[in-house]
Amino acid sequence: MNDKAKRHQILRDMAAEMNGRHIQKDVVVERWTFTIRTLKPVEQDWVMSKAENSFGDPAKLMMFQVRPLVAASLVAVNGVSVEELFALPDDMSADIKLALQRDEKAMRSWRLSQVLEFVGEELQEEIVAPLWNAITMLKERQVAAEGALGKV
């Protein structure tokens, strides 16, 4: 018999934040299961850098921020990790591969650019919009968890 209380989602989110993990969720769109999560600060900076040229124009900001945010939030599709979905190409020079494999920041940047290219060129709005909505809800949960942490 389990005698522990069933914990509210905000407590689980708070525990995830305190343990350095990010809030994660599976979102089913059409027949695909997308695993998304809240972003690390460096990923948030990357998303904002993609939207730099759109400041002052709310419509452009939304257009240029939505797809980068979806790309940066993506963890897996149908259980296959982003690292597996976007592997280094076989015909990439050995020197470049080695440099990317040795430099985590460079590899992250390369992979984010690959995911963004796919999200920007291949995914239809009918897939992107529900992912954006789910990411927005995760961000709201994150803010609530951070607020609860601040009250402790």
Side-chain angles (χ1 to χ4, degrees):
M1 178 178 162
N2 183 4
D3 59 348
K4 288 192 173 196
K6 180 179 175 184
R7 293 184 179 170
H8 189 277
Q9 184 63 49
I10 197 162
L11 296 176
R12 293 192 302 268
D13 293 346
M14 189 184 333
E17 287 290 317
M18 290 172 32
N19 292 321
R21 296 188 312 266
H22 294 270
I23 303 169
Q24 189 167 299
K25 178 180 183 169
D26 286 339
V27 180
V28 178
V29 183
E30 302 291 330
R31 61 185 185 100
W32 308 99
T33 301
F34 296 85
T35 304
I36 57 170
R37 66 165 172 74
T38 54
L39 300 181
K40 300 173 187 173
V42 68
E43 293 162 335
Q44 291 171 349
D45 292 344
W46 180 84
V47 169
M48 292 309 296
S49 77
K50 299 299 174 191
E52 276 179 357
N53 297 330
S54 61
F55 287 120
D57 185 340
K60 278 187 180 178
L61 180 61
M62 288 302 291
M63 183 174 74
F64 289 111
Q65 193 176 16
V66 168
R67 289 183 185 266
L69 183 59
V70 168
S73 300
L74 190 62
V75 173
V77 178
N78 286 356
V80 180
S81 73
V82 167
E83 291 76 15
E84 292 175 80
L85 292 169
F86 298 93
L88 296 173
D90 294 334
D91 61 349
M92 179 181 272
S93 84
D95 291 342
I96 293 174
K97 277 186 183 181
L98 187 59
L100 288 171
Q101 291 166 340
R102 287 183 175 169
D103 185 345
E104 183 181 329
K105 185 177 178 181
M107 178 65 90
R108 181 177 52 244
S109 178
W110 178 83
R111 189 159 283 122
L112 280 170
S113 70
Q114 299 301 308
V115 178
L116 178 57
E117 182 179 320
F118 175 77
V119 170
E121 295 177 4
E122 303 291 333
L123 288 187
Q124 300 297 320
E125 193 59 33
E126 294 80 14
I127 302 247
V128 174
L131 294 175
W132 166 259
N133 291 335
I135 291 164
T136 301
M137 290 189 323
L138 284 183
K139 287 171 65 174
E140 290 170 1
R141 283 175 48 193
Q142 183 179 31
V143 167
E146 289 169 351
L149 283 174
K151 294 177 184 176
V152 175

